Amino acid sequence: QVQLVESGGGLVQAGGSLRLSCAGSGRTWGIYTLGWFRQAPGKERELVATISWSGDNTYYKDLVKGRFTISRDNAKNTVYLQMNSLKPEDTAVYYCAAKAPGDGVYNYWGQGTQVTVSS
């Protein structure tokens, strides 16, 4: 099993930057695909970015391409989401999640961290 704890959220002005971190427990951290999701008030949770176990493969939601960067440090059991050029529409609770090899869904979730972008 994996336990995930996010940090780094906060209030930032439009155009600013934040870096989210997600620390994980477990000796098998390196085998998991990791993802960042977000959920805005009144909206469904959506996938923002994913990164493969090796870090070689990444995916981004179209709306964040070129602004957000996902990365991971397996030695530190940590995944990051660097968010630049933030917009008010990026305001949401951000969650990190982990998916084991062969699983079709993300089974492990953090508690979420609030990101608020003011205009």
Side-chain angles (χ1 to χ4, degrees):
Q1 281 200 345
V2 176
Q3 292 184 324
L4 305 170
V5 179
E6 302 98 335
S7 61
L11 173 64
V12 64
Q13 288 188 331
S17 298
L18 282 174
R19 188 175 82 154
L20 305 183
S21 299
C22 176
S25 64
R27 290 176 291 178
T28 58
W29 170 264
I31 70 172
Y32 290 90
T33 294
L34 302 171
W36 285 97
F37 292 74
R38 68 185 182 187
Q39 187 167 20
K43 295 186 177 181
E44 293 187 354
R45 187 164 55 191
E46 61 181 6
L47 177 63
V48 175
T50 66
I51 188 166
S52 62
W53 67 272
S54 65
D56 289 342
N57 296 305
T58 58
Y59 160 84
Y60 295 95
K61 179 181 177 65
D62 284 347
L63 288 176
V64 306
K65 282 182 180 177
R67 298 190 296 123
F68 291 11
T69 302
I70 188 171
S71 61
R72 66 189 293 168
D73 185 338
N74 288 341
K76 296 182 178 180
N77 281 18
T78 303
V79 60
Y80 305 97
L81 186 67
Q82 177 67 44
M83 305 186 294
N84 298 328
S85 302
L86 283 161
K87 304 175 181 181
E89 51 264 44
D90 294 317
T91 295
V93 178
Y94 283 71
Y95 300 88
C96 69
K99 181 170 65 172
D103 285 353
V105 296
Y106 287 81
N107 287 314
Y108 305 101
W109 294 84
Q111 83 289 351
T113 185
Q114 177 70 46
V115 171
T116 303
V117 184
S118 63
S119 57

